[in-house]
Amino acid sequence: MPLNFNRVEFIRSAASPRDFLRDGLPQLAFAGRSNVGKSSVINRVVSRKNFARVGASPGKTSQINYFLLDGRAYLVDLPGYGYAKVSKAERDRWGALMEAYFASGLITHGVMIVDARHKPTADDGTMAEWFFQTGCPLLVVANKLDKLKKSEVEPNLQTIRETLSLRSGDHLVPFSAEKGTGKEELLERLEAAIG
Ligand code: GDP
């Protein structure tokens, strides 16, 4: 049966490993630098305006949010990274939570949002490495495509592929959360991941 991406409900936030969900359903973990548009991408996926909070105080949310997709899989919204103005305590909390989640074996598929305009940052590279270490397939979403000239698209995608050292089975989806470009491909890929 096709997955109904409009059937989505917020389940819980986890601020520590004891709150992780461990019920065996697939977990698609969404990660990205603060402000890259992760919330906007999630809202586009589930066709809601304000499901994941857009522009919610960057870096201030050291928690993992679980959304149940059509009763079949979790869309897991990981806290954003790379926001300069966070305290060391906050960064440490973020690191401990992420380390625990990545080591938990609960991730079945990684989804990383990057900015289509720029070469991925060192933090993006580290995040990709974390996903590689889980052994899960990784789907990279190059967001804000609407801000590129047509001639810039292919070279930028190539730079992203190379900088993140994407493996042959990893997919890169050009996307615009603002315009909806790439939505069909992203939904297809997510659905294939859930199986
Ligand atoms: P998050 O911090 O990664 O969750 O990012 P948000 O979803 O809050 O988006 C950050 C900012 O980028 C907001 O002002 C969004 O409107 C904007 N934004 C997100 N996606 C796109 C996109 O595809 N194109 C453009 N032009 N702006 C976007």
Side-chain angles (χ1 to χ4, degrees):
M1 259 235 298
L3 194 94
N4 182 357
F5 283 92
N6 298 335
R7 220 185 129 224
V8 58
E9 58 180 312
F10 172 74
I11 301 296
R12 72 153 67 138
S13 295
S16 81
R18 67 172 177 274
D19 299 323
F20 291 169
L21 292 177
R22 303 168 189 279
D23 58 9
L25 284 183
Q27 298 195 7
L28 312 181
F30 281 60
R33 200 162 42 74
S34 294
N35 226 33
V36 73
K38 177 163 54 67
S39 310
S40 304
V41 170
I42 292 172
N43 288 332
R44 190 49 92 167
V45 164
V46 301
S47 305
R48 303 277 179 94
K49 273 247 149 18
N50 238 327
F51 202 70
R53 265 176 309 149
V54 172
S57 49
K60 291 278 189 277
T61 39
S62 294
Q63 56 183 30
I64 293 174
N65 293 314
Y66 291 93
F67 304 102
L68 182 61
L69 274 178
D70 204 14
R72 286 168 52 189
Y74 293 108
L75 191 166
V76 184
D77 185 11
L78 301 176
Y81 51 85
Y83 187 63
K85 289 182 204 151
V86 291
S87 65
K88 178 167 187 312
E90 182 109 29
R91 240 193 331 267
D92 288 349
R93 238 191 338 268
W94 178 92
L97 185 68
M98 292 288 268
E99 229 167 86
Y101 184 61
F102 275 81
S104 70
L106 291 164
I107 301 176
T108 54
H109 207 284
V111 182
M112 212 178 119
I113 325 293
V114 298
D115 193 320
R117 293 171 296 177
H118 309 302
K119 186 178 153 106
T121 64
D123 285 338
D124 290 330
T126 303
M127 185 54 57
E129 268 305 316
W130 283 22
F131 277 120
F132 294 155
Q133 280 167 22
T134 65
C136 297
L138 178 63
L139 176 60
V140 177
V141 177
N143 191 38
K144 307 199 182 184
L145 195 75
D146 54 284
K147 297 210 172 189
L148 289 190
K149 292 195 204 109
K150 214 164 178 206
S151 62
E152 294 172 320
V153 174
E154 265 319 310
N156 284 27
L157 292 176
Q158 194 50 30
T159 301
I160 292 168
R161 249 184 228 111
E162 280 167 13
T163 310
L164 295 179
S165 307
L166 296 188
R167 306 157 301 185
S168 56
D170 299 325
H171 293 287
L172 176 60
V173 179
F175 197 84
S176 166
E178 179 130 324
K179 306 274 187 226
T181 320
K183 178 174 172 179
E184 208 167 306
E185 183 182 355
L186 179 57
L187 294 193
E188 265 169 33
R189 297 273 177 223
L190 294 174
E191 182 148 11
I194 292 164

